[in-house]
Amino acid sequence: MALNATIFKINLNIADLDRGYYADHALVVARHPSETSERMMVRVLAFALHASERLEFGRGISTDDEPALWEKDLTGRIGLWIDVGLPDERLTRRACGRADRVIVFAYGGRGADMWWNANAKGLAKNDNLTVQMVNYETSKALVKMAERALSLQCTIQENEVWLDDGVERVQVAMVQVYPTV
């Protein structure tokens, strides 16, 4: 018997002072049985950082031809492709050919570092790719917030990101490894 996805209902309030974006999003996030809470919360973080009216979640972890999140225009053209985790280099290069911009949110501490070291040469050929490394402590702190019903406040100001669920407050630490800044 196949296991069903676990549904999370997240009320996300975003105050992005850097972009001038202020909105409330009622997210319904399906967590695949093989997906960890850490990956799901990094997906929510990625949504908060790039939120727009058109940004939506992909079909899930078991679908190679869709990202974790994407933004399409009215014609179906993919403007933004966001992957989380440690995606296959070949799939990331294919995404760079399909989308105007591709962002990878890598996480997992040493494993993410090893993934980047193994794939940097091949991925660095893509001008439309950005790779962000989410700090290990940050992704673990986000797991503590993972509740089936969650109210989350995201504040972004001067490139500092804070997530608050009313109990925990996490300053998000990330490093952009490509392109180097």
Side-chain angles (χ1 to χ4, degrees):
M1 176 163 72
L3 297 174
N4 292 329
T6 304
I7 303 300
F8 288 75
K9 294 186 178 184
I10 302 172
N11 292 315
L12 177 62
N13 175 270
I14 301 170
D16 187 339
L17 286 75
D18 292 349
R19 289 192 301 150
Y21 182 84
Y22 308 92
D24 291 312
H25 293 272
L27 305 176
V28 177
V29 180
R31 190 179 83 194
H32 188 275
S34 66
E35 182 178 29
T36 64
S37 293
E38 184 178 23
R39 183 180 189 281
M40 182 196 71
M41 291 303 290
V42 172
R43 283 195 298 143
V44 172
L45 170 64
F47 184 96
L49 293 173
H50 298 281
S52 72
E53 290 180 13
R54 295 199 181 281
L55 187 64
E56 59 186 46
F57 290 98
R59 285 187 292 178
I61 196 169
S62 60
T63 309
D64 283 345
D65 63 338
E66 285 189 14
L69 298 148
W70 56 3
E71 182 179 88
K72 297 180 189 177
D73 66 15
L74 293 174
T75 67
R77 180 181 173 145
I78 304 168
L80 179 60
W81 178 294
I82 299 175
D83 247 328
V84 300
L86 310 175
D88 182 83
E89 178 189 347
R90 178 183 53 83
L91 296 175
T92 302
R93 282 186 285 123
R94 186 181 317 154
C96 288
R98 293 179 62 193
D100 295 339
R101 287 178 47 215
V102 176
I103 302 172
V104 174
F105 284 87
Y107 66 91
R110 184 164 145 61
D113 292 335
M114 290 170 42
W115 168 83
W116 177 245
N117 290 335
N119 293 287
K121 186 175 180 182
L123 292 176
K125 298 173 185 174
N126 299 289
D127 293 336
N128 61 338
L129 175 66
T130 300
V131 178
Q132 298 274 352
M133 292 286 206
V134 179
N135 177 279
Y136 181 75
E137 287 77 22
T138 294
S139 64
K140 291 303 179 188
L142 293 177
V143 170
K144 294 178 184 175
M145 294 179 166
E147 297 288 335
R148 301 248 336 246
L150 177 63
S151 289
L152 198 58
Q153 167 69 43
C154 178
T155 305
I156 304 166
Q157 182 176 16
E158 296 178 6
N159 293 320
E160 283 194 23
V161 180
W162 290 87
L163 289 172
D164 188 326
D165 68 355
V167 176
E168 301 284 332
R169 187 164 193 243
V170 175
Q171 182 176 15
V172 175
M174 294 186 307
V175 175
Q176 182 170 310
V177 294
Y178 183 79
T180 55
V181 288

